[in-house]
Amino acid sequence: MDGQNQPRKIEDAPAKDYAQGRTVIADTAVAKVVGLAARKVAGVHALGSGTSRSIGALRDAVGATDLTAGVRVEVGESQVAVDIVLIAEYGYPLHNVAMAVRGAVYEAVEDLVGRTVIEVNVEIVDVFMPAMDLEKTSSRVRERLDVGTRQPVPTIDIEDQP
């Protein structure tokens, strides 16, 4: 092959900065980047509220997963503001989950979209509790729940007190 029909790689792009032209990145594209970044964070069970998750379950069933559920973005010329609604998994400190999501979103948007993130608002609307089947529950969750390790509370007979 002569190489003319092959797509240009990003690293093959010329280093020269071209001032002509305009790039428009749609809100939907940014929202998908945000949704994918947030879903990768440990402790995030799902994105969206109950209603949007119900609709998302129907979309998943027909193979049309909505990666933007629970994500709202405002995209400007050079900045992005993000609102995320999520459900956390029990056993993860909620403030740590929120901070990790915020960091993942900042990094993904700045790296992949090329815009400055001015804020990422995280709303945790629920906590997912895994089934209490000890065989299937992860050791991390069992430790956090103290399942099977709780000691009985000692009882004291008041009449035996001096």
Side-chain angles (χ1 to χ4, degrees):
M1 284 198 119
D2 59 6
Q4 292 180 359
N5 293 330
Q6 294 182 7
R8 177 179 271 183
K9 296 178 185 175
I10 292 175
E11 53 271 4
D12 292 341
K16 186 175 180 183
D17 185 23
Y18 292 97
Q20 296 177 354
R22 184 176 88 143
T23 301
V24 176
I25 301 175
D27 291 4
T28 305
V30 177
K32 283 184 181 180
V33 168
V34 168
L36 288 168
R39 281 178 173 81
K40 290 182 180 181
V41 173
V44 172
H45 175 70
L47 296 184
S49 63
T51 305
S52 67
R53 286 185 315 122
S54 297
I55 293 168
L58 292 172
R59 292 180 69 123
D60 288 346
V62 296
T65 301
D66 182 10
L67 298 175
T68 63
V71 176
R72 192 173 63 86
V73 298
E74 293 179 29
V75 181
E77 288 291 322
S78 63
Q79 297 178 327
V80 175
V82 178
D83 294 321
I84 299 175
V85 176
L86 65 86
I87 296 168
E89 291 180 12
Y90 182 83
Y92 293 88
L94 300 182
H95 61 281
N96 289 353
V97 171
M99 291 301 293
V101 166
R102 200 169 279 118
V105 169
Y106 269 86
E107 186 175 320
V109 171
E110 290 179 356
D111 288 351
L112 299 175
V113 180
R115 300 283 198 272
T116 302
V117 179
I118 57 172
E119 68 179 358
V120 176
N121 300 308
V122 178
E123 181 181 355
I124 300 174
V125 295
D126 202 355
V127 174
F128 173 75
M129 292 289 297
M132 294 309 299
D133 182 355
L134 292 180
E135 298 299 319
K136 295 180 181 175
T137 304
S138 73
S139 61
R140 177 181 168 89
V141 172
R142 281 197 308 264
E143 288 174 14
R144 295 282 179 137
L145 292 173
D146 290 331
V147 175
T149 62
R150 293 188 179 167
Q151 301 296 321
V153 177
T155 57
I156 300 173
D157 191 358
I158 296 176
E159 295 175 12
D160 291 342
Q161 296 294 321

